[in-house]
Amino acid sequence: MGARKQVDAPPAEFAEAVSQLRGARFRPEVFVEEMPAPQRIAPHAAAVSADVTVDGDDVATGRLVILYDPDGNDAWQSTFRCVAYVRAAVEPEMVTDALLGGVGWTWLMEALADRGADFLAPSGTVTRVVSESFGGMADDDATAEIEIRASWSPVPGPGGNVDVTRHAEAWGEVLCTAAGLPPVPPGVVAMPTRRGQRGR
């Protein structure tokens, strides 16, 4: 039984990454919880989902998946890969702005830079969606959303280990930016991840 447990244990490098993911800190508007991770993309994976809530309304949602392949992956240029998704409501008139896609991508690049989260091989898309209602729903206002789908490979630090915390917190920052929340003032400390409750 002991030998089986040892065989099934995740690699120490991945276990440390999961611990860092769980220890990431986010703004109090961000509710984060663990979710099942995809099983066929990489030998090891962990995932969290998040909702950004303001005055009782969910204004943004997202997912972050951490993939790990101890043998490395040529496309990743690394043993680790972060896969992120962010969706937030925006004003319908913003969707017609041709620069919105580039702005959404810049949110991610700047958040990673602000957190000191070095990375390789970034890839992704920014999608704008407008929904209009007709017939019996014609009185409903038009709605618009921005969706950011991105992946990147964390670069190990001086000690050779990947700091997943920085990358997770950068994703949380993008969620808040997409939701239209103002930046946190300097010196204000983010709260620990909330799990299992939505009390605010």
Side-chain angles (χ1 to χ4, degrees):
M1 181 65 72
R4 174 62 181 271
K5 184 176 181 180
Q6 183 65 32
V7 169
D8 291 343
E13 189 175 14
F14 176 70
E16 175 62 22
V18 173
S19 177
Q20 292 173 350
L21 178 62
R22 290 172 175 165
R25 292 174 175 265
F26 303 95
R27 292 175 56 156
E29 297 92 343
V30 183
F31 173 83
V32 179
E33 58 185 349
E34 294 182 30
M35 63 176 288
Q39 299 298 312
R40 298 184 180 181
I41 303 177
H44 304 278
V48 293
S49 64
D51 291 314
V52 180
T53 304
V54 177
D55 296 330
D57 294 325
D58 288 342
V59 293
T61 188
R63 298 185 300 271
L64 178 66
V65 181
I66 306 298
L67 304 175
Y68 176 68
D69 186 340
D71 294 329
N73 184 303
D74 291 341
W76 301 353
Q77 302 177 34
S78 175
T79 55
F80 278 98
R81 189 74 172 171
C82 294
V83 181
Y85 171 73
V86 170
R87 186 181 78 234
V90 296
E91 295 297 329
E93 56 267 24
M94 290 181 62
V95 175
T96 61
D97 188 340
L99 300 178
L100 183 59
V103 168
W105 186 253
T106 299
W107 291 340
L108 174 62
M109 297 294 102
E110 290 184 347
L112 290 167
D114 289 345
R115 294 288 179 175
D118 294 333
F119 59 92
L120 293 169
S123 179
T125 62
V126 179
T127 304
R128 295 167 286 178
V129 180
V130 178
S131 297
E132 296 181 80
S133 301
F134 301 92
M137 300 175 63
D139 291 337
D140 293 350
D141 293 334
T143 62
E145 295 179 327
I146 183 172
E147 294 184 349
I148 303 170
R149 301 175 187 270
S151 63
W152 65 92
S153 300
V155 174
N161 295 322
V162 168
D163 187 350
V164 169
T165 301
R166 295 176 184 268
H167 296 268
E169 291 177 351
W171 163 72
E173 185 177 326
V174 176
L175 272 169
C176 293
T177 301
L181 298 182
V184 174
V188 174
V189 179
M191 299 296 291
T193 300
R194 295 186 176 190
R195 302 177 193 277
Q197 63 171 346
R198 285 188 177 272
R200 282 186 170 84

